[in-house]
Amino acid sequence: MVTCTFLSLDLDADLGPKRLLRCRVQSDLPPGTLLMVMVYRDYLRKDGYAQCWIGSESLECMLSEQSSGRAGALLELPIDDFDRSALKSFRKMEGSGRWLQRGVSDEVLVDVFLGLKNGLPKIFGRNNRELQGEIVLEEGGMRTVRVEKTITIPLAADVREAVGPVVRPPRKKKESSRQSAEVGLEREDELFRKAVLLLDKGQAERAEELLRSAIDLAEEHENTVTEVQARSCYGEWLLHTGRSEEARSEFLAILDLRGKGPIDDLDEFEWAEEGLRATGL
């Protein structure tokens, strides 16, 4: 068994020319433990949807033995590179800032947690079942420890300007059926991205709910690419959590979509075939 009684996170920012966010982690987890790190701001659209401002995929930090005798790690993130990467996603999803009810926050939230990719699978066991301690959480059939903190780091001037002013949106004209479908397509893509983020954070129950919704919407709107990607993600998660029969259904549904649209080069088809074999059914 692995016992964890503390996981600490200290944040500070160097707002000099390089503008670095520094994350210092300490824990009594063993050296070699790999922790996941999520960094994001947020904003609120006028339709009431809160969105994450994310500039990178999940980051990682590996604990190593420190002079204090504890295990720790230091992660440095160039915050302006992070924000400019997030700006690209923002432009793709929102176009500009004129649809915002509340703009991108100056608050940066850092979430550090033990995920399924832990660096020491033999020690932690399947779904981290060998982990114990007073701060250990049960989330979606797995055990984890996590810590969150926020720090204020204003957006760089060029990024803030690019987001655009927050103004009242113009009155919408009646949408055509094609335009309405395009709005729907954006919604299932958005749900899929949120689900992946929640899985990374260990919030499996909510992630599964969003994945199922994304699959249903993608199927309804014939958004085959998103349907394949969401089913692949869901199937892998089901397989990982021991629900082989449900996973098999997702992998078969993926393979049934082969040849329906210009998507046959997606890696998900190869993964689906491997997933079918892994189910053993």
Side-chain angles (χ1 to χ4, degrees), residues 10-16 19-24 77 79 108 151-154:
D10 293 312
L11 304 177
D12 68 76
D14 178 355
L15 299 183
R19 285 177 45 96
L20 294 174
L21 166 63
R22 294 193 181 97
C23 312
R24 293 181 176 86
L77 175 66
I79 195 66
V108 179
I151 185 171
T152 299
I153 307 178

Side-chain angles (χ1 to χ4, degrees), residues 23-78:
C23 312
R24 293 181 176 86
V25 182
Q26 284 194 321
S27 180
D28 56 355
L29 288 166
T33 298
L34 187 67
L35 296 174
M36 308 302 294
V37 182
M38 295 297 301
V39 180
Y40 50 91
R41 303 178 189 265
D42 67 7
Y43 60 94
L44 187 67
R45 293 188 349 193
K46 283 191 177 293
D47 60 6
Y49 280 87
Q51 301 292 331
C52 291
W53 173 270
I54 304 173
S56 64
E57 299 297 328
S58 298
L59 304 171
E60 301 173 351
C61 68
M62 181 171 286
L63 299 179
S64 59
E65 190 170 352
Q66 308 291 297
S67 58
S68 63
R70 295 176 173 178
L74 171 64
L75 178 67
E76 293 187 329
L77 175 66

Side-chain angles (χ1 to χ4, degrees), residues 215 231 234-235 238 246-255:
I215 290 168
R231 285 189 184 277
Y234 190 36
L238 290 169
E246 294 176 71
R248 179 179 175 81
S249 296
E250 296 301 326
F251 295 139
L252 287 172
I254 291 170
L255 295 177

